[in-house]
Amino acid sequence: MDFSKLDSSDMQQFYSQEQQLAMVNEMVSKLTDACWDKCITGTPGNKFSSSESTCLSNCAHRYIEMSLLIMKKFQSLQ
Amino acid sequence: MDSFSSPSPGSSQQMSAQDLKKQLQSQLALEYAQQFLETVRGKCFEKCITKPGSSLSGSESSCISRCVDRYIEATGIISKALFGGSQH
């Protein structure tokens, strides 16, 4: 097919939307992977215990907090 | 005007921008699903198949079923924690 005939501004908008969505998906799956290992230590039950779900939620928040700290740390090193 | 925003009749070979977007989106969704499946497979194998026997036991099967459900739930909890707007 002829891509040169595509409406470029429309496709660019579509592209950046999809890129953003992919970033969000990647972030969620990366954190779920890491926090699952930290928080779900036993055999998975029929439902999460409240400590497990709190741990998952805290884990995500702390990861963000840590990212900011590390970013600041690196900025101060420059 | 280009041929994608106003598809001319008779050019059935040409794909509209809409079709292209849909195709890209379904490819991305498939890619994401495959990745997710791979992760869940790894996590639940680790959790549930601790000592591989000659066949999958009933307790292993039910562990796998619960593990898949919990992993999906965990994804939701993480997603809500990140984008649900609550700050802790």
Side-chain angles (χ1 to χ4, degrees):
Chain A
M1 66 175 289
D2 186 359
F3 286 100
S4 66
K5 287 202 172 118
L6 288 171
D7 179 350
S8 64
S9 71
D10 182 50
M11 283 312 283
Q12 253 162 32
Q13 199 196 346
F14 173 78
Y15 175 74
S16 60
Q17 263 173 15
E18 289 303 319
Q19 202 176 31
Q20 233 170 7
L21 192 68
M23 262 172 58
V24 165
N25 279 338
E26 203 190 310
M27 179 110 190
V28 170
S29 61
K30 208 176 97 179
L31 280 190
T32 307
D33 189 326
C35 295
W36 172 271
D37 290 345
K38 288 239 189 258
C39 299
I40 316 302
T41 48
T43 315
N46 282 320
K47 66 196 277 278
F48 280 138
S49 67
S50 65
S51 70
E52 283 172 326
S53 47
T54 307
C55 178
L56 286 170
S57 180
N58 283 344
C59 174
H61 284 124
R62 293 299 78 75
Y63 191 91
I64 301 296
E65 207 175 280
M66 181 201 73
S67 304
L68 292 173
L69 269 178
I70 291 178
M71 227 151 70
K72 268 192 202 152
K73 173 75 184 161
F74 269 71
Q75 274 164 359
S76 75
L77 289 176
Q78 280 182 350
Chain B
M1 271 289 172
D2 60 59
S3 58
F4 280 96
S5 52
S6 60
S8 51
S11 63
S12 56
Q13 290 238 314
Q14 211 144 40
M15 195 188 250
S16 74
Q18 206 53 37
D19 290 339
L20 178 62
K21 285 180 193 173
K22 268 193 198 146
Q23 201 182 323
L24 287 171
Q25 273 170 335
S26 68
Q27 273 170 10
L28 286 166
L30 185 68
E31 178 72 22
Y32 181 70
Q34 277 171 346
Q35 229 180 65
F36 188 73
L37 189 68
E38 179 54 39
T39 307
V40 172
R41 207 160 28 206
K43 294 293 179 189
C44 295
F45 186 76
E46 210 177 294
K47 284 269 183 232
C48 300
I49 320 292
T50 46
K51 245 183 157 192
S54 57
S55 71
L56 214 59
S57 74
S59 66
E60 283 169 336
S61 304
S62 60
C63 176
I64 289 162
S65 168
R66 287 194 306 267
C67 178
V68 173
D69 288 341
R70 292 295 78 71
Y71 202 85
I72 293 168
E73 193 183 341
T75 304
I77 291 172
I78 298 293
S79 178
K80 227 164 83 184
L82 291 180
F83 305 106
S86 70
Q87 290 288 327
H88 292 286

